[in-house]
Amino acid sequence: MLLGYRYKLKPNKEQTLKALNWIDMLRANYNYNLADREATYQARFIQGEYCDLKSKSVACPLSCPISSNSATSETGEVYKVKKKTGEIKLKTAEEIQITNLPVLKQVRPWYKEIDSTVLQQNVKRLQTAYNNFFTGCGRYPKFKNKSNFKSFTFTTGIKVTEQAIYLPKLGWIGYFNSRSLPEGFKIKSATVRLKADGLYVTLKIEDKAVPSFPVIPVEEVKTVVGLDMGITQLVHCSDGSQYKNPKHSTNKRTRQLLKVRQRSLSRKKKYSKNRRKARVKVSRLHQKITHRREAFQWELAKQLTKKADAIIVEDLNISAMKKRCAIKEDVNQKGRFLPNGQSIKRGLNRSISDASWYSLTKKVEYLAGKQGKIFERVNPRFTSQICSCCRHQDKTSRSKEKFICTNCGYHADADINAARNIKKRGIEIHSFPISCKVKIQMVPEDFREPKQLGLFEMSTFESTEGKRRRAAPQSKRRVPGNSARQLELFEDISANLA
Ligand SMILES: [Zn+2]
């Protein structure tokens, strides 16, 4: 079982400066390694008869060290011998770059200050980025700047006591012991991370004696819940309950506060101390929002996992949802563009980011796994158009927040109907031994559209105003005119009747 525990560190001034210095150096090394890999890859196309442009070794298909993930070997060692079999193999780019590290320390002696496992992990970090790219779950690795490179990892020599954590070459660092480590766990790694309010450490701990959590067999699943994500209501459950969206960063007050602080930052002189202070203020606010959201999501995830033995959520493509609107070119005037609704979309995108559905479902997944429950993501296609009762698909069944089936008359909140469809899909995938029956609710009389009245037809409905009028004492003179005129009128009517 592998777990992660995070603590806030209490380093002294010296340790803080050291850690910040390390981050800068490691970033430079990361960027150097990335540039090296790109250069060696490009060299394939221009190298001519050489296998390596730097060492000018002659090209030969057997000795050529260049492959799609290659690196320049500064030590000249491109082969490794497997100890067990004695087999000779080409080193991978990662291995080449790790063997380059001693050379780096000779050329740039200040790198000696950094713990060697930290440097190795830094190379591995780049390899992980490449692996993610090649397996299709990440973008191509980018060069890092100060804003997106803020951490380093130790793998050996970590010691933890109640008061302090020992990290090689940084020494004993005090920390806020907010959560005691479970007994019997071995520390696998420690990642130090710089945040707006200081340094944090994440300990990865493992206990092989504790088995990973067993998953409930499909036959024993008794309850299933489907979750539909939204913006006004964050989560709609198939059991009919809804959870409000607290809008941590898009509520009026926070937006206003952020606006004020960002404006103040933008008006400060560049590279000034005041600008730095203003920047800290902005990032602190962002951090506060994140903390609030995280705390809320963990609590919500806990409640959601309690609901059933199996939890089904929709597999949303959020980056596609947040795409910019297509540009509209003016046909009459070349080079001119028509409004395309992007300014409205921006607000929606902001709300989508604020809701952060993916991180919520990730938390649900984690907690469900911990309790041995089944967690599944299903395709949400057409879930808002299909009737969860009769499976009739019709676009017109939905009108904003209401869903009334045009086929069978089933009616429900549109999002809850979608959650029920998600639940059904999950049941189909796993074939749980439960019948997913939905109570048939016909549209009652009152919800039907009122009958269209003819021009002279009176509505049978009596308004309160009419009642009041009728209750008032009636005057004696119901017909206009004097008595003689009244008599005339009466005669006219009786003549007509005859
Ligand atoms: Zn229906």
Side-chain angles (χ1 to χ4, degrees), residues 387 389-390 392 405 407-410:
C387 168
C389 179
C390 69
H392 177 69
C405 179
N407 183 36
C408 73
Y410 165 79

Side-chain angles (χ1 to χ4, degrees), residues 386-393 397 403-411 417:
I386 296 172
C387 168
S388 62
C389 179
C390 69
R391 297 286 176 111
H392 177 69
Q393 187 191 337
S397 290
F403 184 92
I404 300 178
C405 179
T406 48
N407 183 36
C408 73
Y410 165 79
H411 74 104
N417 176 60

Side-chain angles (χ1 to χ4, degrees), residues 174-241:
Y175 71 108
F176 292 94
N177 194 351
S178 48
R179 205 178 165 198
S180 56
L181 281 173
E183 273 180 31
F185 277 80
K186 216 176 120 192
I187 296 167
K188 297 286 281 183
S189 71
T191 302
V192 178
R193 191 166 277 120
L194 177 69
K195 294 204 174 189
D197 65 341
L199 291 163
Y200 285 75
V201 67
T202 310
L203 299 175
K204 216 185 237 180
I205 51 172
E206 192 183 30
D207 192 350
K208 280 184 182 159
V210 180
S212 293
F213 309 97
V215 179
I216 303 177
V218 172
E219 300 80 47
E220 283 175 31
V221 171
K222 279 173 193 141
T223 47
V224 181
V225 71
L227 307 178
D228 180 72
M229 305 292 168
I231 283 180
T232 41
Q233 302 283 337
L234 190 58
V235 182
H236 307 266
C237 304
S238 58
D239 60 2
S241 54

Side-chain angles (χ1 to χ4, degrees), residues 315-370:
D315 189 10
L316 294 170
N317 186 353
I318 294 162
S319 57
M321 286 169 84
K322 288 202 289 190
K323 253 187 191 158
R324 293 178 70 88
C325 298
I327 49 166
K328 268 188 197 169
E329 208 170 346
D330 197 340
V331 189
N332 304 323
Q333 265 180 299
K334 231 190 167 185
R336 285 239 163 210
F337 295 93
L338 295 168
N340 63 347
Q342 178 57 35
S343 59
I344 303 164
K345 182 80 198 301
R346 192 184 301 133
L348 178 67
N349 287 354
R350 217 172 257 154
S351 299
I352 292 171
S353 306
D354 184 27
S356 54
W357 297 313
Y358 186 73
S359 75
L360 176 65
T361 51
K362 264 277 168 206
K363 289 181 179 79
V364 173
E365 188 178 3
Y366 173 79
L367 290 180
K370 225 173 160 183

